[in-house]
Amino acid sequence: MQRTHTCGELTTAQLGQTVVLSGWVHKSRDLGGMTFIDVRDRYGITQLVFDADADETLRNNARDLGREYVIKVTGTVIERENKNLKIPTGEIEIKVSVLEVLNPSKLPPFTIEDDTDGGDDLRMKYRYLDLRRNPVRNNLILRHRLAQEVRRYLDGESFLEVETPVLIKSTPEGARDFVVPSRMNPGEFYALPQSPQTFKQLLMVSGFDRYFQVVKCFRDEDLRADRQPEFTQIDCEMAFVDQEDILHTFEGLVTHLFKTVKGIDLGAIPRMPYADAMRLYGSDKPDIRFDMPFVELNSVLQGAGFPVFDQAELVVGIRATGCASYTRKQLDELTDFVRRPQIGASGLVYLRYNADGTLKSSVDKFFGPEQLQQWAAAFDAAPGDLLLVMAGATDKVRKQLCELRLEIASQLGLRSKTTFAPLWVVDFPLLEWDEESGRYHAMHHPFTSPKATDIPLLESDPGQVRANAYDLVINGVEVGGGSIRIHQRELQSRMFDLLGFSPAEAQKQFGFLMDAFTYGAPPHGGIAFGFDRLVSIFAGLDSIRDVIAFPKNNAGRDVMIESPASISQEQLNELAIALK
């Protein structure tokens, strides 16, 4: 056998046993009369010892071993003199009698350690080496465990895992598709799915009333820390349900994952209407690990002769508890922060509620002591608090203040990676107006059902129609979203009409779905979780790259295999593609 045990399982219970281990040389230490080698596999590390009693050839071969050599050793388990209680095998070592080099190794371009000296680009180029490091490997072990628990929970709830096609038809809504040319149908193209949306709805029509899939999806969009061109979803759909049934079922999934994988009891997940999330936090994915809601101040601060406030559509602020001691330098840094191009604010106004009870603002010229007291009262402020206020167009200033709120919370240490605050955001708008195209777009997707009470507004005031849609947010990150779907052909046709589809376009793109609705489609709805994001939250990471075995960089490239790459002219000819 190549091994009788792994490098992470031997203890004093095996003292005196002859064992065979295989793995990679992690470290070596030559102390003259004795040589120590740490051998590593994915289960752990075991120390090997070659002492003065060992054959000289054996000791010389041990000294010649380099980092990451693949070796096989036979030896006896003995008690370790200098114990290392930080690792499971730290009380024993292996006195080696036979050493075999299974494969030598070049010196790696970075150290295979928890805290490596390799930068992101280098680690991605040699990802197969990076995956040997404990932090990355542990992330993939965590990913595996979460996937197993997802399947276990959903199987227990009578869901069936069904695979849907990867080669489908391109649709005009949503992000850009990745397209695949068809050799057998020259001039025609498949698309890779952005989600299995229409197929899972067709499964509901088919009578598969509870479906799920841990599925690869693809979107050709600009990348960032929480986006990859290919990503994984936990995709789910249920028939004969309403919104409450779905929230209850998948709240159960999330609480199950936290309980079984992290030992955390989340309790009931609170709910917040979209309108309240925007009003109180300026975001449809608010971070509620900390309490710093917006306070609207138009009635308090307008009319005092300060043009910035008087001319604004919205004056709004936050209270930073205990931050009145911020220095002028710190306040200037906050002002510079909101003026960054990414945020785009023109400035920031503050009011200090000093510990001695005095009030000092950056606009004392316009506000007297009584007005400052009203200002403080509006925030329910106490001595020691700092009040930060911004003004402008409603949507814009809310987004700007949201960024400031998160920055302040980070400075105060209120965004711990070990604290988890989930939230359901519900009652989204069904549609959003796009000035550039001059038409409405679906906020989620065109198959989302409107609230039954709002259906009459589809003709008279479509912008006020609320959707039967919901998102799950954890620590300010959207990890899942879904909706009750439209299941009637007539209503789906009205929706396509609102979105600017002609009847012919709707039939060409989605005729198969609308036809299916005429054959007894049940009421249905579902949700999809971003599995990569969910794993990264469990792992306490900001980026999803390190929970994906072989990720792409920000340019959408795999620098390890050098993809994407050009193809031969012969292949292009077969596909009837002519490059300009």
Side-chain angles (χ1 to χ4, degrees):
M1 293 179 65
Q2 295 288 344
R3 60 186 180 186
T4 59
H5 298 79
T6 70
C7 296
E9 67 176 301
L10 294 171
T11 68
T12 53
Q14 286 82 36
L15 287 177
Q17 291 185 16
T18 298
V19 297
V20 180
L21 298 182
S22 294
W24 288 262
V25 172
H26 187 64
K27 286 181 181 177
S28 63
R29 300 175 298 284
D30 186 1
L31 304 182
M34 303 183 75
T35 300
F36 295 96
I37 303 289
D38 288 343
V39 62
R40 181 195 72 239
D41 61 15
R42 80 173 173 93
Y43 304 95
I45 289 177
T46 298
Q47 180 169 283
L48 312 177
V49 59
F50 302 80
D51 61 18
D53 296 334
D55 178 81
E56 185 176 352
T57 301
L58 178 65
R59 281 188 284 131
N60 288 335
N61 289 341
R63 293 188 185 104
D64 290 339
L65 294 175
R67 277 181 176 258
E68 302 307 310
Y69 273 47
V70 186
I71 61 172
K72 172 184 172 184
V73 297
T74 302
T76 305
V77 182
I78 62 174
E79 189 167 3
R80 186 166 166 172
E81 189 172 321
N82 297 311
K83 295 179 173 58
N84 178 3
L85 301 182
K86 294 181 180 179
I87 59 174
T89 60
E91 293 185 271
I92 60 92
E93 59 192 6
I94 308 301
K95 185 175 181 180
V96 177
S97 56
V98 179
L99 166 65
E100 180 182 351
V101 175
L102 299 177
N103 216 338
S105 172
K106 292 168 59 178
L107 184 67
F110 53 86
T111 55
I112 313 298
E113 299 278 3
D114 289 3
D115 297 318
T116 183
D117 55 357
D120 287 349
D121 292 342
L122 190 62
R123 292 192 300 113
M124 289 187 73
K125 182 174 178 60
Y126 297 94
R127 184 65 168 176
Y128 48 87
L129 296 179
D130 196 34
L131 288 168
R132 294 180 187 175
R133 298 193 307 115
N134 286 327
V136 185
R137 181 174 62 248
N138 289 340
N139 290 339
L140 294 185
I141 293 171
L142 172 64
R143 184 188 181 102
H144 163 79
R145 189 175 176 199
L146 278 168
Q148 297 308 306
E149 291 299 335
V150 165
R151 287 187 165 94
R152 184 172 291 113
Y153 174 87
L154 292 175
D155 181 64
E157 295 291 322
S158 300
F159 283 78
L160 295 175
E161 186 166 11
V162 182
E163 294 182 2
T164 54
V166 174
L167 296 175
I168 64 169
K169 182 168 68 172
S170 182
T171 59
E173 292 292 314
R176 297 183 192 89
D177 289 323
F178 282 102
V179 294
V180 180
S182 171
R183 179 185 58 81
M184 293 182 290
N185 301 277
E188 296 185 317
F189 297 81
Y190 301 104
L192 302 181
Q194 296 184 33
S195 84
Q197 181 61 46
T198 54
F199 289 100
K200 65 181 180 180
Q201 291 191 247
L202 291 171
L203 285 170
M204 297 302 103
V205 178
S206 304
F208 289 80
D209 62 333
R210 292 194 169 201
Y211 142 93
F212 87 98
Q213 188 178 185
V214 181
V215 59
K216 278 283 190 181
C217 300
F218 307 85
R219 291 181 187 173
D220 187 6
E221 58 186 353
D222 294 337
L223 306 183
R224 58 191 187 207
D226 62 349
R227 282 183 181 170
Q228 285 276 296
E230 53 181 309
F231 57 96
T232 305
Q233 282 186 182
I234 307 168
D235 198 62
C236 308
E237 198 81 3
M238 304 170 71
F240 304 111
V241 292
D242 56 23
Q243 178 172 302
E244 188 61 35
D245 297 319
I246 292 177
L247 296 187
H248 174 76
T249 300
F250 292 100
E251 185 167 316
L253 170 62
V254 173
T255 54
H256 170 79
L257 293 177
F258 273 94
K259 185 67 174 178
T260 56
V261 176
K262 295 196 76 71
I264 294 173
D265 188 355
L266 288 179
I269 298 178
R271 302 178 188 182
M272 182 180 297
Y274 169 87
D276 287 350
M278 298 305 295
R279 177 176 58 85
L280 294 173
Y281 302 103
S283 172
D284 60 0
K285 45 183 181 292
D287 188 342
I288 59 168
R289 280 175 290 183
F290 56 97
D291 184 32
M292 201 184 293
F294 293 2
V295 177
E296 296 187 354
L297 301 160
N298 288 38
S299 61
V300 176
L301 297 182
Q302 288 185 329
F306 182 45
V308 172
F309 290 168
D310 291 347
Q311 297 169 12
E313 184 179 4
L314 178 65
V315 184
V316 63
I318 53 174
R319 182 187 69 193
T321 303
C323 293
S325 59
Y326 266 34
T327 65
R328 180 57 183 269
K329 180 182 177 182
Q330 287 175 297
L331 291 169
D332 287 344
E333 288 172 349
L334 289 178
T335 302
D336 291 340
F337 173 80
V338 299
R339 284 176 172 165
R340 293 163 56 200
Q342 305 95 306
I343 299 176
S346 57
L348 178 66
V349 175
Y350 66 84
L351 171 64
R352 280 198 187 98
Y353 198 156
N354 296 314
D356 62 7
T358 59
L359 298 167
K360 177 65 178 175
S361 84
S362 56
V363 287
D364 281 351
K365 176 180 177 181
F366 299 94
F367 295 90
E370 288 188 9
Q371 291 169 305
L372 294 181
Q373 285 288 352
Q374 293 175 351
W375 184 343
F379 283 93
D380 195 23
D385 291 347
L386 175 67
L387 313 180
L388 300 167
V389 178
M390 302 176 72
T394 298
D395 291 345
K396 186 175 180 180
V397 76
R398 281 176 174 168
K399 290 179 182 177
Q400 292 165 346
L401 189 60
C402 173
E403 295 295 330
L404 178 62
R405 176 181 180 267
L406 296 176
E407 174 65 16
I408 291 287
S410 295
Q411 291 183 10
L412 297 177
L414 301 177
R415 304 179 72 190
S416 169
K417 300 288 188 184
T418 58
T419 300
F420 302 95
L423 173 71
W424 287 111
V425 179
V426 299
D427 297 347
F428 281 81
L430 181 69
L431 306 165
E432 53 186 347
W433 181 257
D434 181 62
E435 291 290 346
E436 187 174 332
S437 61
R439 67 180 181 92
Y440 283 108
H441 288 265
M443 181 166 273
H444 279 73
H445 55 63
F447 315 107
T448 298
S449 172
K451 294 277 187 183
T453 54
D454 291 358
I455 288 177
L457 297 174
L458 284 171
E459 310 302 334
S460 60
D461 194 0
Q464 294 302 310
V465 178
R466 293 168 301 157
N468 264 319
Y470 32 84
D471 281 357
L472 180 67
V473 176
I474 302 178
N475 294 357
V477 176
E478 177 200 333
V479 297
S483 66
I484 299 298
R485 323 301 187 188
I486 297 170
H487 67 282
Q488 299 132 328
R489 182 186 177 104
E490 180 184 350
L491 183 56
Q492 186 65 74
S493 296
R494 290 172 68 187
M495 184 67 171
F496 285 141
D497 184 57
L498 270 174
L499 296 173
F501 287 80
S502 69
E505 288 171 333
Q507 181 64 31
K508 180 180 179 182
Q509 293 291 339
F510 302 110
F512 65 92
L513 183 64
M514 291 195 289
D515 289 347
F517 287 169
T518 66
Y519 289 95
H524 60 279
I527 193 168
F529 294 91
F531 187 51
D532 310 298
R533 290 185 185 179
L534 191 62
V535 179
S536 68
I537 287 173
F538 271 69
L541 300 171
D542 293 321
S543 171
I544 64 173
R545 284 183 188 168
D546 279 343
V547 301
I548 298 172
F550 299 102
K552 308 288 191 296
N553 67 12
N554 281 344
R557 299 192 65 84
D558 185 327
V559 295
M560 181 182 66
I561 65 171
E562 297 183 351
S563 171
S566 59
I567 61 175
S568 69
Q569 187 61 50
E570 181 181 3
Q571 288 174 291
L572 290 171
N573 293 340
E574 285 184 335
L575 297 169
I577 294 176
L579 297 181
K580 292 183 179 179

